Short mmCIF file of all heavy atoms in Angstrom, two decimals:
data_model
loop_
_atom_site.label_atom_id
_atom_site.label_comp_id
_atom_site.label_asym_id
_atom_site.label_seq_id
_atom_site.Cartn_x
_atom_site.Cartn_y
_atom_site.Cartn_z
N VAL B 250 -33.50 69.26 53.69
CA VAL B 250 -34.63 69.98 53.50
C VAL B 250 -35.57 69.91 54.80
O VAL B 250 -35.40 68.86 55.55
CB VAL B 250 -35.39 69.56 52.23
CG1 VAL B 250 -34.60 69.95 51.08
CG2 VAL B 250 -35.77 68.18 52.39
N LEU B 251 -36.45 70.87 54.94
CA LEU B 251 -37.34 70.88 56.07
C LEU B 251 -38.54 69.80 55.88
O LEU B 251 -38.78 69.53 54.75
CB LEU B 251 -37.97 72.17 56.30
CG LEU B 251 -36.91 73.22 56.79
CD1 LEU B 251 -37.56 74.62 56.74
CD2 LEU B 251 -36.46 72.94 58.27
N PRO B 252 -39.12 69.22 56.89
CA PRO B 252 -40.01 68.06 56.73
C PRO B 252 -41.17 68.40 55.82
O PRO B 252 -41.45 67.53 54.88
CB PRO B 252 -40.47 67.87 58.10
CG PRO B 252 -39.47 68.45 58.96
CD PRO B 252 -38.87 69.53 58.37
N GLY B 253 -41.70 69.55 55.95
CA GLY B 253 -42.92 69.87 55.10
C GLY B 253 -42.47 69.88 53.59
O GLY B 253 -43.26 69.48 52.68
N ARG B 254 -41.23 70.44 53.25
CA ARG B 254 -40.86 70.37 51.85
C ARG B 254 -40.56 69.03 51.42
O ARG B 254 -40.81 68.66 50.38
CB ARG B 254 -39.62 71.31 51.85
CG ARG B 254 -39.08 71.45 50.45
CD ARG B 254 -38.40 72.79 50.18
NE ARG B 254 -38.05 72.89 48.76
CZ ARG B 254 -36.90 72.96 48.29
NH1 ARG B 254 -35.81 73.19 48.87
NH2 ARG B 254 -36.72 73.03 46.99
N LEU B 255 -39.95 68.22 52.42
CA LEU B 255 -39.65 66.76 51.90
C LEU B 255 -40.90 66.14 51.49
O LEU B 255 -41.06 65.39 50.55
CB LEU B 255 -39.09 66.09 53.12
CG LEU B 255 -38.59 64.76 52.86
CD1 LEU B 255 -37.62 64.52 51.81
CD2 LEU B 255 -38.17 64.03 54.15
N LEU B 256 -42.11 66.41 52.32
CA LEU B 256 -43.37 65.77 51.87
C LEU B 256 -43.79 66.28 50.51
O LEU B 256 -44.32 65.44 49.81
CB LEU B 256 -44.41 66.12 52.91
CG LEU B 256 -44.42 65.16 54.13
CD1 LEU B 256 -45.17 65.81 55.34
CD2 LEU B 256 -44.93 63.77 53.84
N GLU B 257 -43.73 67.59 50.21
CA GLU B 257 -44.01 68.05 48.96
C GLU B 257 -43.32 67.35 47.85
O GLU B 257 -43.77 66.91 46.89
CB GLU B 257 -43.86 69.53 48.94
CG GLU B 257 -45.01 70.32 49.57
CD GLU B 257 -44.76 71.83 49.74
OE1 GLU B 257 -43.86 72.37 49.07
OE2 GLU B 257 -45.41 72.49 50.60
N ILE B 258 -42.05 67.15 48.16
CA ILE B 258 -41.10 66.55 47.10
C ILE B 258 -41.41 65.14 46.87
O ILE B 258 -41.54 64.62 45.78
CB ILE B 258 -39.59 66.70 47.54
CG1 ILE B 258 -39.13 68.18 47.39
CG2 ILE B 258 -38.74 65.88 46.65
CD1 ILE B 258 -37.90 68.50 47.97
N LEU B 259 -41.82 64.38 47.92
CA LEU B 259 -42.20 62.99 47.83
C LEU B 259 -43.46 62.96 46.94
O LEU B 259 -43.65 62.06 46.23
CB LEU B 259 -42.50 62.34 49.30
CG LEU B 259 -41.07 62.10 49.99
CD1 LEU B 259 -41.41 61.70 51.39
CD2 LEU B 259 -40.33 60.96 49.24
N HIS B 260 -44.34 63.83 47.23
CA HIS B 260 -45.69 63.84 46.49
C HIS B 260 -45.40 63.96 45.04
O HIS B 260 -45.99 63.30 44.05
CB HIS B 260 -46.50 65.03 47.01
CG HIS B 260 -47.81 65.12 46.31
ND1 HIS B 260 -48.85 64.44 46.76
CD2 HIS B 260 -48.26 65.86 45.23
CE1 HIS B 260 -49.95 64.79 45.94
NE2 HIS B 260 -49.52 65.51 44.98
N GLU B 261 -44.51 64.91 44.67
CA GLU B 261 -44.06 65.06 43.26
C GLU B 261 -43.32 63.86 42.70
O GLU B 261 -43.69 63.38 41.62
CB GLU B 261 -43.09 66.34 43.11
CG GLU B 261 -43.90 67.56 43.17
CD GLU B 261 -45.01 67.78 41.98
OE1 GLU B 261 -44.54 67.68 40.85
OE2 GLU B 261 -46.16 67.83 42.45
N CYS B 262 -42.56 63.15 43.60
CA CYS B 262 -41.76 61.90 43.14
C CYS B 262 -42.91 60.99 42.73
O CYS B 262 -42.64 60.29 41.70
CB CYS B 262 -40.96 61.41 44.22
SG CYS B 262 -39.52 62.43 44.55
N LYS B 263 -43.84 60.79 43.66
CA LYS B 263 -44.81 59.68 43.28
C LYS B 263 -45.57 60.01 41.88
O LYS B 263 -45.74 59.04 41.17
CB LYS B 263 -45.85 59.61 44.49
CG LYS B 263 -47.28 59.20 44.06
CD LYS B 263 -47.54 57.95 44.75
CE LYS B 263 -48.73 57.25 44.01
NZ LYS B 263 -49.98 57.94 44.10
N ARG B 264 -45.73 61.33 41.67
CA ARG B 264 -46.56 61.68 40.50
C ARG B 264 -45.62 61.38 39.28
O ARG B 264 -46.14 60.93 38.24
CB ARG B 264 -46.82 63.19 40.55
CG ARG B 264 -47.72 63.67 39.36
CD ARG B 264 -47.86 65.17 39.51
NE ARG B 264 -46.70 65.98 39.38
CZ ARG B 264 -46.14 66.30 38.23
NH1 ARG B 264 -46.46 65.77 37.11
NH2 ARG B 264 -45.00 66.87 38.13
N VAL B 265 -44.36 61.76 39.19
CA VAL B 265 -43.50 61.64 38.07
C VAL B 265 -42.86 60.15 37.74
O VAL B 265 -42.40 60.02 36.74
CB VAL B 265 -42.44 62.65 38.05
CG1 VAL B 265 -43.02 64.04 38.16
CG2 VAL B 265 -41.40 62.45 39.07
N LEU B 266 -43.13 59.34 38.76
CA LEU B 266 -42.66 57.94 38.54
C LEU B 266 -43.62 57.13 37.82
O LEU B 266 -44.92 57.35 37.92
CB LEU B 266 -42.38 57.28 39.91
CG LEU B 266 -41.11 57.60 40.51
CD1 LEU B 266 -41.03 56.93 42.04
CD2 LEU B 266 -39.87 57.26 39.70
N ARG B 267 -43.20 56.21 36.93
CA ARG B 267 -44.15 55.36 36.29
C ARG B 267 -44.60 54.34 37.25
O ARG B 267 -43.85 53.92 38.16
CB ARG B 267 -43.57 54.80 35.04
CG ARG B 267 -42.43 53.74 35.19
CD ARG B 267 -42.17 52.92 34.02
NE ARG B 267 -40.98 52.16 34.34
CZ ARG B 267 -40.85 51.21 35.26
NH1 ARG B 267 -41.96 50.71 35.97
NH2 ARG B 267 -39.68 50.47 35.42
N PRO B 268 -45.84 53.72 37.17
CA PRO B 268 -46.26 52.73 38.13
C PRO B 268 -45.27 51.45 38.11
O PRO B 268 -44.77 51.14 37.09
CB PRO B 268 -47.59 52.29 37.58
CG PRO B 268 -48.01 53.41 36.76
CD PRO B 268 -46.92 54.14 36.13
N GLY B 269 -44.97 51.02 39.44
CA GLY B 269 -44.07 49.90 39.46
C GLY B 269 -42.60 50.41 39.72
O GLY B 269 -41.71 49.57 39.99
N ALA B 270 -42.31 51.68 39.72
CA ALA B 270 -40.96 52.17 39.69
C ALA B 270 -40.58 52.46 41.22
O ALA B 270 -41.47 52.65 42.00
CB ALA B 270 -40.82 53.37 38.90
N TRP B 271 -39.24 52.48 41.46
CA TRP B 271 -38.81 52.54 42.80
C TRP B 271 -38.29 54.03 43.17
O TRP B 271 -37.60 54.67 42.27
CB TRP B 271 -37.62 51.58 43.10
CG TRP B 271 -38.23 50.20 43.10
CD1 TRP B 271 -38.16 49.27 42.08
CD2 TRP B 271 -38.74 49.46 44.33
NE1 TRP B 271 -38.70 48.07 42.51
CE2 TRP B 271 -39.11 48.13 43.86
CE3 TRP B 271 -39.05 49.87 45.48
CZ2 TRP B 271 -39.62 47.27 44.68
CZ3 TRP B 271 -39.55 48.80 46.47
CH2 TRP B 271 -39.96 47.58 45.83
N CYS B 272 -38.51 54.33 44.35
CA CYS B 272 -37.97 55.59 44.93
C CYS B 272 -36.98 55.24 46.05
O CYS B 272 -37.43 54.66 46.98
CB CYS B 272 -38.96 56.48 45.33
SG CYS B 272 -38.34 58.06 46.19
N VAL B 273 -35.70 55.58 45.96
CA VAL B 273 -34.71 55.15 46.99
C VAL B 273 -34.11 56.40 47.55
O VAL B 273 -33.57 57.20 46.76
CB VAL B 273 -33.61 54.26 46.41
CG1 VAL B 273 -32.53 53.87 47.42
CG2 VAL B 273 -34.14 53.01 45.66
N MET B 274 -34.32 56.67 48.96
CA MET B 274 -33.75 57.78 49.60
C MET B 274 -32.97 57.33 50.88
O MET B 274 -33.53 56.61 51.65
CB MET B 274 -34.98 58.77 49.94
CG MET B 274 -35.54 59.39 48.79
SD MET B 274 -36.47 60.86 49.17
CE MET B 274 -37.01 61.45 47.60
N ALA B 275 -31.78 57.75 50.83
CA ALA B 275 -30.91 57.39 51.97
C ALA B 275 -30.50 58.63 52.81
O ALA B 275 -30.43 59.75 52.32
CB ALA B 275 -29.69 56.73 51.50
N THR B 276 -30.40 58.47 54.07
CA THR B 276 -30.01 59.60 55.00
C THR B 276 -29.30 59.03 56.20
O THR B 276 -29.41 57.81 56.55
CB THR B 276 -31.44 60.24 55.33
OG1 THR B 276 -31.12 61.39 56.04
CG2 THR B 276 -32.31 59.34 56.24
N PRO B 277 -28.64 59.92 57.04
CA PRO B 277 -28.06 59.30 58.22
C PRO B 277 -29.07 58.82 59.25
O PRO B 277 -30.18 59.24 59.34
CB PRO B 277 -27.29 60.67 58.82
CG PRO B 277 -27.19 61.50 57.68
CD PRO B 277 -28.42 61.23 56.82
N ASN B 278 -28.67 57.79 59.94
CA ASN B 278 -29.54 56.99 60.66
C ASN B 278 -29.46 57.57 62.17
O ASN B 278 -28.56 57.06 62.86
CB ASN B 278 -29.22 55.42 60.69
CG ASN B 278 -30.17 54.60 61.56
OD1 ASN B 278 -31.12 55.03 62.08
ND2 ASN B 278 -29.85 53.38 61.65
N PRO B 279 -30.40 58.38 62.61
CA PRO B 279 -30.21 58.91 64.00
C PRO B 279 -30.60 57.97 65.08
O PRO B 279 -30.36 58.35 66.27
CB PRO B 279 -31.10 60.12 63.87
CG PRO B 279 -32.25 59.69 62.90
CD PRO B 279 -31.49 58.82 61.98
N SER B 280 -31.16 56.77 64.76
CA SER B 280 -31.36 55.91 65.87
C SER B 280 -30.05 55.11 66.30
O SER B 280 -30.09 54.53 67.44
CB SER B 280 -32.40 54.79 65.44
OG SER B 280 -32.00 54.17 64.20
N THR B 281 -28.98 55.34 65.64
CA THR B 281 -27.70 54.99 66.07
C THR B 281 -27.21 56.32 66.73
O THR B 281 -27.01 57.36 66.14
CB THR B 281 -26.69 54.79 64.93
OG1 THR B 281 -27.09 53.49 64.27
CG2 THR B 281 -25.21 54.50 65.36
N LEU B 282 -27.09 56.23 68.15
CA LEU B 282 -26.91 57.50 68.94
C LEU B 282 -25.62 58.30 68.54
O LEU B 282 -25.63 59.53 68.59
CB LEU B 282 -27.02 57.28 70.30
CG LEU B 282 -28.27 56.88 70.78
CD1 LEU B 282 -28.51 56.79 72.34
CD2 LEU B 282 -29.45 57.78 70.20
N THR B 283 -24.61 57.56 68.14
CA THR B 283 -23.38 58.30 67.79
C THR B 283 -23.57 59.13 66.47
O THR B 283 -22.88 60.11 66.25
CB THR B 283 -22.17 57.36 67.45
OG1 THR B 283 -22.57 56.25 66.65
CG2 THR B 283 -21.63 56.82 68.84
N VAL B 284 -24.55 58.77 65.72
CA VAL B 284 -24.99 59.55 64.50
C VAL B 284 -25.90 60.59 64.93
O VAL B 284 -25.57 61.76 64.73
CB VAL B 284 -25.57 58.65 63.36
CG1 VAL B 284 -26.19 59.48 62.27
CG2 VAL B 284 -24.59 57.58 62.82
N GLY B 285 -26.93 60.30 65.65
CA GLY B 285 -27.95 61.16 65.91
C GLY B 285 -27.58 62.28 66.93
O GLY B 285 -27.95 63.48 66.84
N ALA B 286 -26.44 62.00 67.79
CA ALA B 286 -26.09 63.06 68.75
C ALA B 286 -24.70 63.68 68.41
O ALA B 286 -24.30 64.63 68.85
CB ALA B 286 -25.90 62.36 70.03
N HIS B 287 -24.09 63.11 67.32
CA HIS B 287 -22.79 63.59 66.90
C HIS B 287 -22.56 63.83 65.46
O HIS B 287 -22.54 64.98 64.99
CB HIS B 287 -21.75 62.62 67.67
CG HIS B 287 -20.30 62.91 67.23
ND1 HIS B 287 -19.32 62.05 67.14
CD2 HIS B 287 -19.78 64.12 66.84
CE1 HIS B 287 -18.17 62.63 66.81
NE2 HIS B 287 -18.43 63.89 66.55
N THR B 288 -22.32 62.74 64.64
CA THR B 288 -21.85 62.94 63.34
C THR B 288 -22.83 63.69 62.42
O THR B 288 -22.46 64.30 61.46
CB THR B 288 -21.45 61.59 62.72
OG1 THR B 288 -22.44 60.73 62.84
CG2 THR B 288 -20.24 61.06 63.38
N PHE B 289 -24.16 63.46 62.71
CA PHE B 289 -25.26 64.22 62.02
C PHE B 289 -24.94 65.66 61.85
O PHE B 289 -25.07 66.36 60.93
CB PHE B 289 -26.58 63.86 62.50
CG PHE B 289 -27.67 64.65 61.73
CD1 PHE B 289 -28.27 63.89 60.65
CD2 PHE B 289 -28.15 65.91 62.14
CE1 PHE B 289 -29.34 64.52 59.99
CE2 PHE B 289 -29.20 66.42 61.36
CZ PHE B 289 -29.70 65.84 60.33
N TRP B 290 -24.50 66.17 63.04
CA TRP B 290 -24.33 67.61 63.28
C TRP B 290 -23.07 68.20 62.63
O TRP B 290 -22.85 69.36 62.87
CB TRP B 290 -24.43 67.95 64.78
CG TRP B 290 -25.89 67.66 65.22
CD1 TRP B 290 -26.21 66.49 66.09
CD2 TRP B 290 -27.15 68.10 64.84
NE1 TRP B 290 -27.49 66.39 66.33
CE2 TRP B 290 -28.16 67.44 65.54
CE3 TRP B 290 -27.44 69.22 64.06
CZ2 TRP B 290 -29.53 67.69 65.37
CZ3 TRP B 290 -28.85 69.59 63.97
CH2 TRP B 290 -29.88 68.77 64.65
N LEU B 291 -22.18 67.36 62.06
CA LEU B 291 -20.95 67.82 61.60
C LEU B 291 -21.27 68.80 60.35
O LEU B 291 -20.56 69.79 60.29
CB LEU B 291 -20.18 66.66 61.02
CG LEU B 291 -19.30 65.84 61.98
CD1 LEU B 291 -18.69 64.62 61.22
CD2 LEU B 291 -18.19 66.80 62.56
N ASP B 292 -22.36 68.49 59.65
CA ASP B 292 -22.59 69.28 58.48
C ASP B 292 -23.53 70.40 58.87
O ASP B 292 -24.69 70.22 59.28
CB ASP B 292 -23.16 68.43 57.39
CG ASP B 292 -23.39 69.18 56.05
OD1 ASP B 292 -23.53 70.43 56.17
OD2 ASP B 292 -23.38 68.60 55.05
N PRO B 293 -23.05 71.77 58.86
CA PRO B 293 -23.96 72.80 59.19
C PRO B 293 -25.29 72.97 58.34
O PRO B 293 -26.19 73.72 58.75
CB PRO B 293 -22.99 74.08 59.14
CG PRO B 293 -22.01 73.59 58.15
CD PRO B 293 -21.75 72.09 58.34
N THR B 294 -25.28 72.32 57.19
CA THR B 294 -26.42 72.52 56.34
C THR B 294 -27.41 71.42 56.49
O THR B 294 -28.44 71.48 55.88
CB THR B 294 -26.00 72.45 54.76
OG1 THR B 294 -25.55 71.25 54.47
CG2 THR B 294 -24.90 73.51 54.51
N HIS B 295 -27.27 70.43 57.47
CA HIS B 295 -28.19 69.55 57.92
C HIS B 295 -29.32 70.25 58.64
O HIS B 295 -28.97 70.96 59.52
CB HIS B 295 -27.54 68.42 58.76
CG HIS B 295 -26.87 67.46 57.88
ND1 HIS B 295 -26.27 66.28 58.49
CD2 HIS B 295 -26.61 67.34 56.46
CE1 HIS B 295 -25.75 65.61 57.44
NE2 HIS B 295 -25.96 66.23 56.29
N ARG B 296 -30.63 69.87 58.35
CA ARG B 296 -31.70 70.56 59.08
C ARG B 296 -32.06 69.84 60.34
O ARG B 296 -31.94 70.25 61.36
CB ARG B 296 -32.87 70.71 58.02
CG ARG B 296 -32.68 71.51 56.95
CD ARG B 296 -32.75 73.01 57.39
NE ARG B 296 -32.15 73.92 56.37
CZ ARG B 296 -31.61 75.09 56.51
NH1 ARG B 296 -31.62 75.40 57.92
NH2 ARG B 296 -31.25 75.79 55.58
N LYS B 297 -32.80 68.64 60.06
CA LYS B 297 -33.26 67.92 61.21
C LYS B 297 -32.98 66.41 61.08
O LYS B 297 -33.08 65.88 59.83
CB LYS B 297 -34.62 68.04 61.31
CG LYS B 297 -35.25 69.39 61.73
CD LYS B 297 -36.66 69.53 61.95
CE LYS B 297 -36.99 70.94 62.60
NZ LYS B 297 -38.36 71.08 62.89
N PRO B 298 -32.58 65.67 62.01
CA PRO B 298 -32.42 64.20 61.87
C PRO B 298 -33.69 63.65 61.57
O PRO B 298 -34.74 64.16 61.95
CB PRO B 298 -31.90 63.65 63.26
CG PRO B 298 -31.49 64.92 64.12
CD PRO B 298 -32.28 66.07 63.41
#
Side-chain angles (χ1 to χ4, degrees):
Chain B
V250 297
L251 290 168
R254 182 150 189 240
L255 180 59
L256 276 166
E257 285 173 14
I258 290 171
L259 285 171
H260 180 83
E261 282 302 299
C262 286
K263 152 114 194 298
R264 185 182 64 78
V265 300
L266 281 175
R267 67 163 171 76
W271 291 94
C272 171
V273 178
M274 292 199 175
T276 191
N278 182 7
S280 56
T281 295
L282 293 188
T283 49
V284 173
H287 175 205
T288 54
F289 179 88
W290 299 107
L291 278 173
D292 187 333
T294 64
H295 281 182
R296 293 288 168 204
K297 291 185 177 187

